Amino acid sequence: MSDNKFETDAIRTQLERSQFQEHTTPMYVTSSFVFDDAEDMRASFTEEKIRNIYSRYSNPNTTEFVEKVMKMEGAEDGYAFATGMAAVYSSFAALLSSGDHIVSARSIFGSTHTLFTKYFPKWNIETSYFDINNPDEIESLIKPSTKFLYAETPTNPGVDIIDLELLGKIAKKHNLLLVIDNCFATPYIQQPIKYGADLVIHSATKLMDGQGRVLGGIVVGNSDLIREIYLFSRNTGPALSPFNAWVLSKSLETLAVRVDRHCENALKLAQFLEGHEKISKVKYPFLKSHPQYEIAKKQMKLGGNIIAMEIKGGIEAGRNFLDAIKMCSLSANLGDTRSIVTHPASTTHSKLSEEERLAAGITPGLVRISVGLENIDDIIQDISQALNN
Ligand SMILES: *Cc1c(COP(=O)(O)O)cnc(C)c1O
């Protein structure tokens, strides 16, 4: 690994130049690669020789993207996927067997929750959930068959913070694999491997691309585990496309400056919303009023770009607010240059029962704002006029 700092690695990690002496990495849009002769082909297939064979296994553009994220997270190895969900699914499917058990935070991404509750039980893999406000309950859920400890922090959509140091200690004590979905923070803000995470997963669709263009996912971490995930994935086919990998690798060059501005805007908006007469609660990790403010300050460099707020008047008021929005987008994405407002109870988390939603902190009036890179005065103006509508 180089001694360069985060921003430099994000820009200067690149493939060797080709004969054309290009300045930035070209796109290698090719499904396969050629061999010099029979011996070259044989050796490549036995893995005596590490080289590109077929783009489902590896491709120069995906390799460059993976290497950048590995450096950012301080990981030994990684593999890139077509989507964040492919990364989540493949990491679990590659490493778990029938009879294994997962202990997971209750507040997790909607599709991950569906995976745990609807599909994994078909293969006899069960999940127990802990309340993020009661981490003491984690140890009581661990069984002899527990293999994974899983969490996202900050959580979606409630923006709660889970203590990574505590999770790392519990995982170590009970010999569990700690898997963290670090999508909301990005490696610029928080690096879970420092606290003992074995695997770190990202939906690269969000802040990594950051411009609402491509889908992508990645897992980085311990090389033995990544090896298993790689072998599973090269045989099941969720690989990232070279084009998307090229886009994502370019996006990482501006991750630090983008995330700095996202977080600066989000903090200003959160401060504006705090105490607003139409809002009963604002949650942003770097507001002192956040219940886990101290933990956020300990493990995060900045507060992130997501704000959760509770509009007075419940579901009606939440929907009226969305209808009054003029500039911000009503869209299912987050971490885009464009600010986005969503109403989780009626959209991303609508598949959960009312009871499951409340247990995960998703109240009827909860609105999630993904603060973008527009001028903060314009963002505040739009949110403000919609609240006063
Ligand atoms: C979006 C998201 C995912 C899924 O990623 P896709 O790229 O949409 O498949 C997983 N986890 C979190 C926390 C997310 O926000």
Side-chain angles (χ1 to χ4, degrees):
M1 290 232 172
S2 73
D3 294 326
N4 286 336
K5 303 258 187 314
F6 187 95
E7 293 82 351
T8 312
D9 276 338
I11 292 168
R12 291 289 169 182
T13 301
Q14 68 179 65
L15 304 169
E16 273 175 42
R17 294 207 166 94
S18 78
Q19 71 201 78
F20 298 115
Q21 289 286 70
E22 66 281 348
H23 190 194
T24 70
T25 305
M27 251 187 250
Y28 292 92
V29 182
T30 178
S31 30
S32 68
F33 301 83
V34 289
F35 303 97
D36 291 338
D37 50 34
E39 174 51 25
D40 181 28
M41 196 163 190
R42 185 204 62 79
S44 302
F45 271 83
T46 56
E47 294 189 7
E48 285 161 28
K49 215 171 181 179
I50 302 297
R51 48 103 84 217
N52 294 303
I53 298 173
Y54 188 62
S55 286
R56 168 150 49 79
Y57 304 0
S58 70
N59 170 283
N61 292 119
T62 49
T63 300
E64 184 184 273
F65 169 60
V66 169
E67 281 183 359
K68 284 188 184 182
V69 179
M70 279 163 54
K71 283 187 184 167
M72 290 176 164
E73 291 282 8
E76 295 170 357
D77 206 352
Y79 186 81
F81 296 87
T83 66
M85 280 321 298
V88 173
Y89 170 72
S90 304
S91 300
F92 281 84
L95 299 170
L96 291 176
S97 305
S98 172
D100 285 344
H101 176 246
I102 302 165
V103 172
S104 168
R106 185 166 276 121
S107 317
I108 50 172
F109 188 66
S111 294
T112 306
H113 187 270
T114 304
L115 198 59
F116 290 174
T117 50
K118 186 167 174 202
Y119 296 102
F120 283 175
K122 292 208 294 189
W123 301 301
N124 193 27
I125 295 166
E126 299 295 336
T127 306
S128 304
Y129 298 97
F130 65 90
D131 179 347
I132 57 100
N133 293 310
N134 186 13
D136 292 342
E137 115 185 282
I138 298 176
E139 291 200 86
S140 68
L141 298 171
I142 297 171
K143 310 187 215 180
S145 60
T146 307
K147 206 155 171 194
F148 277 31
L149 181 55
Y150 182 79
E152 298 168 9
T153 180
T155 64
N156 179 35
V159 202
D160 292 301
I161 303 295
I162 306 179
D163 189 343
L164 289 170
E165 193 180 351
L166 177 71
L167 294 185
K169 281 187 185 145
I170 296 173
K172 195 161 183 214
K173 180 173 162 198
H174 295 273
N175 206 15
L176 309 178
L177 295 178
L178 178 59
V179 184
I180 301 293
D181 182 332
N182 201 28
C183 170
F184 271 43
T186 81
Y188 180 60
I189 290 183
Q190 154 183 298
Q191 292 144 339
I193 289 173
K194 280 191 195 153
Y195 301 96
D198 300 284
L199 293 173
V200 176
I201 297 176
H202 284 278
S203 165
T205 315
K206 313 294 169 53
L207 285 159
M208 280 193 175
D209 170 39
Q211 287 143 89
R213 301 168 298 187
V214 298
L215 298 171
I218 187 162
V219 58
V220 297
N222 169 286
S223 53
D224 292 338
L225 301 175
I226 296 290
R227 172 92 194 139
E228 287 303 312
I229 296 168
Y230 160 72
L231 290 174
F232 176 84
S233 302
R234 77 177 235 179
N235 288 298
T236 53
L240 181 64
S241 84
F243 175 78
N244 285 9
W246 181 87
V247 171
L248 290 168
S249 184
K250 274 277 157 212
S251 302
L252 291 180
E253 297 188 12
T254 57
L255 183 73
V257 285
R258 283 187 289 106
V259 171
D260 272 337
R261 180 62 68 83
H262 272 292
C263 297
E264 186 188 320
N265 281 355
L267 181 60
K268 284 184 186 156
L269 179 63
Q271 285 164 341
F272 167 80
L273 295 169
E274 196 164 46
H276 192 287
E277 56 176 5
K278 299 281 173 65
I279 293 172
S280 57
K281 196 159 92 185
V282 182
K283 251 163 104 195
Y284 182 70
F286 272 27
L287 283 183
K288 285 212 176 66
S289 57
H290 191 290
Q292 294 102 17
Y293 173 74
E294 296 300 330
I295 302 169
K297 279 283 183 180
K298 179 179 73 172
Q299 66 195 27
M300 297 170 77
K301 181 185 165 97
L302 294 163
N305 83 314
I306 309 292
I307 299 173
M309 64 177 186
E310 181 73 32
I311 299 188
K312 286 181 187 166
I315 199 140
E316 255 329 276
R319 291 173 57 109
N320 287 344
F321 169 76
L322 290 196
D323 285 339
I325 284 286
K326 291 198 173 111
M327 179 188 79
C328 297
S329 315
L330 310 190
S331 179
N333 200 8
L334 62 91
D336 194 329
T337 50
R338 297 160 189 233
S339 296
I340 294 170
V341 294
T342 52
H343 183 236
S346 64
T347 57
T348 45
H349 290 70
S350 60
K351 301 275 187 309
L352 275 66
S353 70
E354 177 79 33
E355 203 183 357
E356 285 173 323
R357 270 201 296 276
L358 287 176
I362 301 158
T363 48
L366 182 78
V367 168
R368 186 190 74 190
I369 306 176
S370 167
V371 183
L373 300 181
E374 303 97 337
N375 187 291
I376 184 60
D377 296 341
D378 294 327
I379 300 172
I380 290 177
Q381 160 62 24
D382 191 31
I383 302 287
S384 169
Q385 65 80 25
L387 284 171
N388 292 326
N389 198 272

